Amino acid sequence: MPGSRTGRPPVQRAVRRPVAPGPPRDNAVRRLHTRLHRAWDRPLTAYYLILGGSLLITVLGLVMVYSASQITALQMSLPGSYFFRKQLLAAVIGSGLLFAASRMPVKLHRALAYPILAGAVFLMALVQVPGIGVAVNGNQNWIALGGSFQVQPSEFGKLALVLWGADLIARKQDKKLLTQWKHMLVPLVPVAFMLLGLIMLGGDMGTAIILSAILFGLLWLAGAPTRLFVGVLSVAAAIGVILIKSSENRMARLQCLGATEPRSGLVDCWQAVHGIYALASGGIFGSGLGASVEKWGQLPEAHTDFIFAVTGEELGLSGTVSVLALFAALGYAGIRVAGRTEDPFVRYAAGGVTTWITAQAVINIGAVLGLLPIAGVPLPLFSYGGSALLPTMFAIGLLIAFARDEPAARAALSARQPRFGRKRAGGAGRGREPRRWNTMRRRASAARSSGER
């Protein structure tokens, strides 16, 4: 062994053994991601998102309707809470419809499809009868019920097309007829065009766009071939171009896209520009609830079509982003319900309702932001209008019923421990064993899908 420089024998050091790799260190972000993923994948996630999101949107809409409509009501020599009370009454009735729809079986929903369609067509035709139909803002699409109450039948036409179209396509799928293009189109497209014709007789282009979106959503879910889908879309687009060019009012709305001044040449863009003013003056947290300036006669339709602008002015960016997040959660939950079911009717109906609410929200918010032409459609569950609120809340009840009907969700709901029913300690029940409830706890694990808790 060679000596060291100091003359001492070198010290033999122990050979270091390779350290076995331990488990990777888990950080807080990964743990949070895991928890969120597990919570997101639970069977009742869609149920809670639909129920909670729709209720939050409705309640916030009631608050904003009260704030945005006070000045308009006082200018009309009405009490400041006039429009709020009417909207609250519609919300109460709509809550009853939501609860009833959420408890109905799927067979009853399918049975109501044809009566609702027949009633909607009858009322939409009744609008054109002189003395019965009422024109509002240039559109002949209202029926007076007496006093200050009016109903817009075209809003119920959306619900009718969703239910009837879903039932029709589901029955044809059961008979394996959707592989033929004529069964894909007939009679779905002719009936939809009939509804569109009745709506356009009154001049309501915005509602016609929403109805067209529902039609294309149903065709997409039914698996229409690309050529067939593009063909129907081309026909609808050509008709839409003709209708827009034949109306000076609709052409003026197109010219107001991107306008920064209330008057752009000969075109009056007052409403579009003042909606941008309201959003711009809100900042991050808004000027405060009730402190809007634009609602003092500057912004037309502040409590109906442009209530999102007042929300941005009073609640700021935080308020508008919250509304967008609620609609996004509602849309995701609807897509999830449509994607996880095995019932064709549930898939088409859930997809149709989701298309309806999402498309209408996008068109309304896009118009307020100046990204789309003003179509005159309300923000679902948020804007003032009982005719729009009632069928929308019934449609939300449909989604809740479908979310509850999923096998895993049904098992999770049945496995819950009942809150009431156990006998109190003492008295005649002392010394007895607690009552065993016949829940589906033992069958819940078998009904749950893989990866769900």
Side-chain angles (χ1 to χ4, degrees):
M1 180 180 295
S4 63
R5 295 181 179 179
T6 59
R8 298 178 182 177
V11 179
Q12 187 174 3
R13 298 180 179 179
V15 181
R16 294 183 178 179
R17 298 181 179 179
V19 180
R25 295 182 178 180
D26 196 6
N27 52 21
V29 177
R30 184 175 297 177
R31 290 197 301 269
L32 179 61
H33 177 268
T34 303
R35 291 180 180 178
L36 290 177
H37 180 72
R38 290 178 178 176
W40 201 255
D41 200 45
R42 289 180 178 177
L44 295 177
T45 298
Y47 170 75
Y48 288 132
L49 283 178
I50 297 171
L51 179 61
S54 59
L55 291 181
L56 286 175
I57 294 173
T58 305
V59 172
L60 183 58
L62 287 172
V63 174
M64 293 311 304
V65 165
Y66 180 65
S67 176
S69 64
Q70 285 181 334
I71 306 304
T72 303
L74 294 176
Q75 290 175 345
M76 299 172 63
S77 300
L78 297 171
S81 60
Y82 174 78
F83 293 104
F84 168 75
R85 286 181 293 175
K86 291 185 64 176
Q87 185 74 356
L88 180 61
L89 176 62
V92 172
I93 299 175
S95 299
L97 293 176
L98 185 149
F99 179 79
S102 65
R103 295 293 177 175
M104 290 182 184
V106 175
K107 291 183 179 180
L108 183 55
H109 288 148
R110 301 187 68 168
L112 290 175
Y114 282 87
I116 292 178
L117 177 65
V121 171
F122 174 75
L123 292 177
M124 291 168 67
L126 203 62
V127 168
Q128 306 304 322
V129 178
I132 298 179
V134 179
V136 177
N137 295 330
N139 293 336
Q140 182 85 10
N141 53 3
W142 296 82
I143 294 178
L145 299 180
S148 60
F149 291 94
Q150 297 175 345
V151 63
Q152 187 177 2
S154 58
E155 293 292 339
F156 296 89
K158 304 172 186 177
L159 178 63
L161 181 60
V162 168
L163 285 177
W164 178 80
D167 177 70
L168 175 68
I169 299 175
R171 286 190 290 107
K172 290 196 173 186
Q173 180 176 335
D174 294 338
K175 297 179 181 179
K176 304 184 184 302
L177 297 176
L178 294 181
T179 55
Q180 305 177 25
W181 68 269
K182 61 180 181 180
H183 287 288
M184 181 76 70
L185 296 181
V186 180
L188 177 62
V189 175
V191 171
F193 277 23
M194 178 189 64
L195 295 175
L196 290 172
L198 291 174
I199 293 174
M200 289 308 301
L201 284 177
D204 190 359
M205 186 74 177
T207 305
I209 294 175
I210 305 300
L211 213 68
S212 301
I214 296 174
L215 172 62
F216 293 128
L218 291 174
L219 290 176
W220 181 270
L221 291 171
T226 305
R227 291 180 297 177
L228 185 64
F229 190 83
V230 172
V232 178
L233 183 61
S234 301
V235 173
I239 296 175
V241 170
I242 295 174
L243 292 174
I244 291 174
K245 287 188 175 182
S246 61
S247 174
E248 296 182 359
N249 184 28
R250 295 169 190 149
M251 289 297 298
R253 293 182 181 184
L254 282 177
Q255 297 177 14
C256 288
L257 289 177
T260 57
E261 296 294 333
R263 181 167 291 276
S264 177
L266 300 177
V267 180
D268 186 7
C269 301
W270 181 274
Q271 186 178 22
V273 173
H274 277 272
I276 299 297
Y277 289 168
L279 291 172
S281 61
I284 298 179
F285 298 105
S287 59
L289 192 62
S292 171
V293 176
E294 291 293 333
K295 68 182 181 182
W296 287 76
Q298 301 295 325
L299 181 63
E301 307 296 336
H303 60 295
T304 55
D305 300 344
F306 271 68
I307 194 172
F308 189 76
V310 179
T311 304
E313 186 179 6
E314 295 187 350
L315 302 183
L317 181 64
S318 58
T320 55
V321 170
S322 300
V323 174
L324 292 175
L326 289 174
F327 276 109
L330 192 60
Y332 166 79
I335 294 174
R336 173 170 168 164
V337 171
R340 292 195 173 192
T341 183
E342 297 180 357
D343 190 337
F345 172 79
V346 173
R347 181 184 304 112
Y348 299 135
V353 171
T354 305
T355 303
W356 162 15
I357 295 176
T358 305
Q360 187 165 328
V362 169
I363 292 174
N364 178 275
I365 296 174
V368 175
L369 296 177
L371 303 176
L372 296 174
I374 299 175
V377 296
L379 190 59
L381 302 173
F382 202 84
S383 297
Y384 169 80
S387 296
L389 184 62
L390 294 181
T392 306
M393 294 193 75
F394 187 89
I396 294 296
L398 289 177
L399 290 180
I400 294 175
F402 298 156
R404 290 170 54 93
D405 199 52
E406 291 183 9
R410 188 167 57 248
L413 289 172
S414 300
R416 286 179 172 180
Q417 188 69 22
R419 182 176 300 178
F420 303 102
R422 288 191 174 185
K423 296 182 179 180
R424 297 181 179 180
R430 182 177 298 176
R432 297 181 182 179
E433 295 182 358
R435 180 180 178 182
R436 296 185 62 184
W437 293 84
N438 186 19
T439 63
M440 294 180 63
R441 188 179 300 275
R442 297 181 179 178
R443 289 179 286 172
S445 59
R448 295 172 185 165
S449 60
S450 59
E452 294 185 345
R453 296 182 61 186

